[in-house]
Amino acid sequence: MTDDSQQPTPSEWKVLRAVSDLGSCSASEVLEQLGATEDWSVSTVKTLLRRLTDKGLLRTRRVGNAFLYTSTPTAGRALKRAGERLLGWASAGTVGPLLQHLVRKSDLDPAELDALRELIERKSQESGQ
């Protein structure tokens, strides 16, 4: 999955995030999760879920008449690649403000904040600051 055509579209990212947030879930649960922000039909959600499955970002499991979806480790790698692409687009002097913006916009839990503090401290020591 190195091809850009295999990268999730903006709509697919929304569905992928919903599945990641919900854990193992059905198409109707994804639709319910996204209902407040997206005016999508269940067929649209199912199409996006199928595309993500075809790209290897979701795994499906049949339970009765429904399919349950879960994200795969490949989904995490796709997110990292998207972040690396974003950093590659940033010009000199804009990486710090970009990262600050991302942290401000993120809903980080205390453990994630602690991990960021530790990473910043380690990077500071490595650079001799």
Side-chain angles (χ1 to χ4, degrees):
M1 206 183 103
T2 58
D3 179 352
D4 274 352
S5 69
Q6 294 299 310
Q7 286 295 317
T9 65
S11 294
E12 290 169 349
W13 276 118
K14 291 175 185 177
V15 170
L16 187 58
R17 180 174 179 179
V19 172
S20 294
D21 289 349
L22 292 167
S24 183
C25 59
S26 67
S28 60
E29 290 171 314
V30 172
L31 181 61
E32 185 178 321
Q33 173 90 357
L34 296 173
T37 59
E38 305 302 326
D39 187 24
W40 292 342
S41 68
V42 71
S43 64
T44 299
V45 171
K46 286 181 178 181
T47 297
L48 293 167
L49 288 165
R50 181 185 43 76
R51 288 182 192 165
L52 289 165
T53 301
D54 291 347
K55 291 179 179 184
L57 301 172
L58 292 180
R59 187 174 320 146
T60 62
R61 178 172 57 97
R62 188 176 188 103
V63 177
N65 292 331
F67 286 95
L68 293 182
Y69 298 87
T70 54
S71 59
T72 66
T74 307
R77 289 193 297 273
L79 184 59
K80 286 181 182 178
R81 272 196 306 278
E84 289 165 1
R85 182 175 289 126
L86 179 61
L87 284 174
W89 291 334
S91 59
T94 64
V95 172
L98 171 62
L99 293 174
Q100 292 169 24
H101 174 75
L102 292 173
V103 169
R104 274 193 296 278
K105 290 292 192 177
S106 300
D107 293 326
L108 299 170
D109 65 34
E112 292 168 323
L113 289 169
D114 287 343
L116 277 174
R117 282 185 196 97
E118 183 180 315
L119 178 61
I120 290 168
E121 182 61 33
R122 195 174 23 210
K123 289 291 275 183
S124 292
Q125 290 172 359
E126 288 172 5
S127 67
Q129 296 180 355

